[in-house]
Amino acid sequence: MAAALIDGRAAAEALRARLAITADFFKATTGRPAGLATVLVGEDPASGVYVRSKGKATREAGMESFSHQLPADTREADLLALVEKLNRDEQVDGILVQLPLPEQIDAARVIDAIDPAKDVDGFHVVNAGRLAVGADALVPCTPLGCLHLLKSHLGNLSGADAVVIGRSNIVGKPMAMLLLGESATVTIAHSRTGDLPALCRRADILVAAVGRPEMVRGDWIKPGATVIDVGINRVPAGEGKAKLVGDVAFDEAREVAGAITPVPGGVGPMTIAMLLRNTLVAAHRRAGLAVPEDL
Ligand code: NAD
């Protein structure tokens, strides 16, 4: 039997509807909308698309969007000065500096400069540390979206064997921490892992965050497993066109898995929804309000 599809678009839409209600409530309580500042340096077309869609989603959820566009030759000191200004701005609850940054700018230094209370991407070491020790953190949006999909589909993850392929600070590592927080037994695989197919075959939950088109084959998957495909890879589709595929060979995997996220329409839509969620969480904490439980 073909695997169930985990519909990230529908889940994101439902979440965004709930977030809009919370955003209204926040505005009514505090007298101001929650605010997200986005910073884009340079003209990278993909980054431009991401930042504009984040701004649009923010406004649609009833929050304020402040967008800052800087030229590609911006000096690091000038970007740091903008981050400092946004740190002090009372209207700004979340700060998102779109990566990658031009090479004259040290991204780690910029992330370090963001007030951890406004770090809605969850990339600051303070938030990574808080996640690691199980304290309240702002958690990176993509793995948070993956966890939301997993819990909605499976309920309790306690005791499940989980394999995360990829150890980036943005996806793999925080994903592993979140799964550990749910009491799954977690293995992190990466480019130096030996016999990756055998490791994957043990997994009740398999999260692929690699960036290699269709690397995970159907016979790597344990029958009935839940597969979350984070990969977004652009591959040629003939006649000069391109299409998006994940890190998992979807047609093969669907024959074996119990449930699987499609690409597109799986993890991707959840990422922006979680950015809105993190902005609202940051806004509530900064205003001294309790964070609603269903966020
Ligand atoms: P990254 O390049 O920072 O990390 C990739 C990881 O894969 C590394 O840890 C590396 O060790 C591992 N890896 C590479 N080759 C491997 C191999 N042959 N076997 C096992 N592991 C291997 O990438 P990232 O930022 O973590 O992103 C991963 C993928 O997820 C990319 O396709 C990216 O586009 C996608 N992504 C999607 C979203 C979303 O919203 N859906 C968000 C972020 C990233």
Side-chain angles (χ1 to χ4, degrees):
M1 205 172 70
L5 276 189
I6 302 177
D7 185 344
R9 273 198 195 106
E13 213 170 289
L15 179 60
R16 282 167 63 166
R18 285 211 313 276
L19 294 173
I21 295 168
T22 308
D24 276 353
F25 189 73
F26 179 86
K27 193 170 163 185
T29 311
T30 63
R32 68 166 185 93
L36 172 67
T38 59
V39 182
L40 175 63
V41 185
E43 312 277 321
D44 179 62
S47 293
V49 170
Y50 288 142
V51 167
R52 279 191 293 281
S53 56
K54 286 167 185 173
K56 182 166 171 273
T58 305
R59 288 187 296 276
E60 281 171 6
M63 295 188 262
E64 188 80 63
S65 163
F66 307 97
S67 73
H68 297 265
Q69 167 114 42
L70 304 180
D73 60 358
T74 297
R75 292 179 318 145
E76 185 180 288
D78 293 329
L79 178 56
L80 290 172
L82 174 59
V83 168
E84 277 309 320
K85 190 168 147 248
L86 297 172
N87 282 344
R88 287 192 304 270
D89 189 335
E90 281 307 315
Q91 307 297 311
V92 170
D93 297 292
I95 301 170
L96 180 146
V97 178
Q98 184 67 40
L99 303 179
L101 289 166
E103 58 184 20
Q104 75 275 16
I105 298 175
D106 180 348
R109 206 171 289 154
V110 175
I111 292 166
D112 261 3
I114 297 173
D115 178 352
K118 298 188 176 188
D119 168 40
V120 284
D121 258 338
F123 297 162
H124 195 287
V125 287
V126 165
N127 281 312
R130 282 175 179 265
L131 174 62
V133 298
D136 279 344
L138 288 166
V139 178
C141 303
T142 298
L144 197 57
C146 295
L147 185 73
H148 181 97
L149 293 177
L150 279 168
K151 285 175 76 171
S152 311
H153 188 72
L154 292 173
N156 190 354
L157 311 184
S158 177
D161 263 320
V163 170
V164 178
I165 319 176
R167 57 174 160 181
S168 73
N169 291 331
I170 293 173
V171 189
K173 276 187 213 157
M175 184 76 247
M177 286 299 157
L178 287 169
L179 287 164
L180 199 56
E182 298 295 325
S183 301
T185 304
V186 186
T187 307
I188 307 177
H190 48 77
S191 52
R192 306 290 175 90
T193 298
D195 204 352
L196 186 58
L199 185 71
C200 292
R201 268 180 225 118
R202 285 186 6 210
D204 304 313
I205 294 170
L206 182 61
V207 181
V210 186
R212 289 179 170 252
E214 302 182 326
M215 183 186 83
V216 176
R217 312 307 308 190
D219 64 1
W220 295 23
I221 291 167
K222 179 175 176 176
T226 303
V227 179
I228 303 290
D229 190 352
V230 183
I232 300 179
N233 308 291
R234 199 169 284 280
V235 297
E239 296 173 6
K241 293 191 178 138
K243 64 172 180 171
L244 292 184
V245 299
D247 290 341
V248 179
F250 181 81
D251 291 338
E252 292 176 18
R254 207 181 169 187
E255 296 303 312
V256 191
I260 185 167
T261 56
V263 177
V267 173
M270 291 303 292
T271 297
I272 289 189
M274 287 302 171
L275 174 67
L276 305 178
R277 177 224 176 247
N278 279 355
T279 304
L280 273 174
V281 169
H284 278 76
R285 287 189 187 141
R286 292 185 61 252
L289 298 171
V291 177
E293 293 218 339
D294 64 345
L295 272 194

